Amino acid sequence: MMQQLTMKPGNSLQGTVQVPGDKSISHRSVMFGAIAQGTTRVKGFLPGADCLATIACFRNMGVSITQESPTSLTIEGAGWEGLHEPNQLLDVGNSGTTIRLMLGILAGRSFYSAVAGDESIARRPMDRVLHPLREMGAQVDGRQGGRFTPLGIRGGGLQGIRYQSPVASAQIKSCLLLAGLQAKGETVVEEPYRSRDHSERMLRAFGAEVNSFSGGVSVRGGQQLSGREVRVPGDISSAAFPMIAALLVPGSQVTLQDVGVNPTRTGILDVLKAMGATIEVKETGEWCGEPVGDITISTSTLFGTEIGGELIPRLIDEIPIIAVAATQAKGKTIIRDAAELKVKETNRIAVTAGELTKLGARIEETEDGMVIEGGTPLTGGICDSRGDHRIGMATAIAGLIAKGGVTVHNADAINVSFPGFSELMSRLGKVHS
Ligand code: S3P
């Protein structure tokens, strides 16, 4: 069903809430649990559409996965050999992480599988992982010369490689680590900037030896993983929406509890602090190798900033909502080195600029980012998620400061990563019509 969501200016936002589990870590808990020996129990799993697609794919390969509650899973892993040839299409839905990481696993399995997803997935580049996987020995074909879904893959007989990735991408790195664990010899992945390192941390927690060095990471082939308990921290990429809402709605103060604060993901905190935000982070522990903390944020006067270079992979998914904050800052915000945004769920440079411009924002698109004029009052209106969860949430949050509010069409896309988004926002303040 194509839902609509309306958010409009109301009173201040107050309270302490928990956002749903981290999407990246939830995917990995299912995949690593499926290829490990023994039982993996997951708490705090994100029951969003993307991660449910990962569960369905691994069930199709014969793995027993029980969902005791929306956020609790038990996965009975039987090692690499426990995966069986699926007799149906592996449908990844809207999830780039599912397809790219799973391809690394399938590349080492000698059976045949067919993999596809929705229309957004059909437009997203798969050659970035297929090219190195072919170099390792996997046989893969697909549309347009083997670059796009639907894909057919028959794996096995992999040889380790040294691969210099042209982009800082955790999906590429993780895919090659998963293939590398099944390959002969060593696999080395180098990247221009450090991307999120959840795979490295979780693989180590599952007993694998993974070597991180400045500029990359390597694994030896022939390693087995052991199942374990995983507690998934809250997703900082989801926390970014109530955080920026609290920054912008006058008189607000909000605490997000148990959020993952892995330094490869906290670019959003660095940027908001640089813009003048009052943010306090209290680290409370480490879950399965991932640092966790409580984030308290209150309404602040913001200033424009420049965002580029190594910061980009540390906040790539937060750029649509950062753009909303930047419309209200004093001065210009310049985002560069972010061409990767063009190959996300949508072209997020064009779509962020296009949707926010409908509300009166002044945003210039550039080749690798955007320039946002601050101090721009937003007017209400109608936006469309275009099937992109983060665009849906960013435009809804814009409604909290837009005269007359914003109605978001195709708001059901939000369930991809943040089920319960509008309910959580309502708990913090009166934001709905
Ligand atoms: C992810 C990596 C990032 C990110 C995506 C999740 C992951 O993608 O944008 O939402 O879980 O590995 P890239 O690897 O394409 O940068």
Side-chain angles (χ1 to χ4, degrees), residues 332-382:
K332 242 186 216 163
T333 294
I334 300 171
I335 300 171
R336 57 169 72 94
D337 306 323
E340 275 293 295
L341 289 174
K342 295 181 185 167
V343 290
K344 293 295 177 189
E345 284 83 332
T346 55
N347 174 343
R348 284 189 180 154
I349 295 179
V351 173
T352 301
E355 293 302 314
L356 295 182
T357 299
K358 289 182 189 168
L359 305 177
R362 289 176 297 156
I363 304 183
E364 181 201 330
E365 288 179 48
T366 62
E367 246 329 284
D368 65 349
M370 45 195 141
V371 179
I372 303 145
E373 294 294 336
T376 311
L378 299 184
T379 50
I382 292 176

Side-chain angles (χ1 to χ4, degrees), residues 171-431:
Q171 293 178 359
I172 299 176
K173 175 176 64 177
S174 305
C175 169
L176 298 182
L177 288 177
L178 288 162
L181 285 170
Q182 307 172 78
K184 277 212 188 83
E186 197 186 24
T187 296
V188 184
V189 189
E190 291 169 328
E191 50 183 358
Y193 297 115
R194 184 159 208 201
S195 62
R196 63 189 67 190
D197 65 354
H198 303 302
S199 293
E200 294 91 309
R201 288 172 190 251
M202 198 186 286
L203 285 171
R204 286 189 194 109
F206 276 67
E209 215 179 289
V210 182
N211 171 32
S212 299
F213 56 91
S214 123
V217 52
S218 68
V219 284
R220 265 182 310 98
Q223 299 193 53
Q224 293 289 343
L225 309 182
S226 315
R228 58 161 291 157
E229 312 244 309
V230 178
R231 193 170 164 202
V232 181
D235 197 326
I236 193 165
S237 296
S238 298
F241 297 99
M243 273 168 59
I244 286 177
L247 268 181
L248 299 181
V249 176
S252 302
Q253 186 176 72
V254 167
T255 297
L256 290 317
Q257 268 182 333
D258 298 333
V259 180
V261 287
N262 177 324
T264 62
R265 295 285 299 282
T266 49
I268 176 77
L269 301 179
D270 297 348
V271 159
L272 293 178
K273 281 181 195 159
M275 293 176 83
T278 310
I279 306 181
E280 203 190 306
V281 181
K282 200 173 88 203
E283 277 204 31
T284 52
E286 203 174 274
W287 300 357
C288 204
E290 295 281 352
V292 177
D294 297 343
I295 301 174
T296 301
I297 186 158
S298 34
T299 310
S300 312
T301 302
L302 299 178
F303 298 89
T305 190
E306 297 196 12
I307 307 172
E310 62 86 27
L311 206 45
I312 294 295
R314 296 178 56 231
L315 49 63
I316 188 77
D317 293 336
E318 287 68 80
I319 289 177
I321 188 64
I322 289 173
V324 174
T327 65
Q328 304 307 303
K330 292 209 163 90
K332 242 186 216 163
T333 294
I334 300 171
I335 300 171
R336 57 169 72 94
D337 306 323
E340 275 293 295
L341 289 174
K342 295 181 185 167
V343 290
K344 293 295 177 189
E345 284 83 332
T346 55
N347 174 343
R348 284 189 180 154
I349 295 179
V351 173
T352 301
E355 293 302 314
L356 295 182
T357 299
K358 289 182 189 168
L359 305 177
R362 289 176 297 156
I363 304 183
E364 181 201 330
E365 288 179 48
T366 62
E367 246 329 284
D368 65 349
M370 45 195 141
V371 179
I372 303 145
E373 294 294 336
T376 311
L378 299 184
T379 50
I382 292 176
C383 289
D384 195 315
S385 75
R386 315 267 204 107
D388 184 331
H389 52 129
R390 301 206 197 275
I391 300 295
M393 289 185 275
T395 49
I397 296 294
L400 300 180
I401 51 158
K403 199 163 171 239
V406 170
T407 295
V408 184
H409 288 177
N410 290 318
D412 41 349
I414 292 171
N415 292 325
V416 156
S417 67
F418 201 152
F421 167 74
S422 68
E423 291 80 2
L424 180 137
M425 291 308 303
S426 302
R427 282 215 300 284
L428 295 173
K430 193 177 170 311
V431 296

Side-chain angles (χ1 to χ4, degrees), residues 23-24 28 97 100 128 168-171 196 316-317 344:
K23 179 159 78 68
S24 293
R28 286 158 174 80
T97 307
R100 297 208 181 98
R128 51 178 53 200
S169 157
Q171 293 178 359
R196 63 189 67 190
I316 188 77
D317 293 336
K344 293 295 177 189

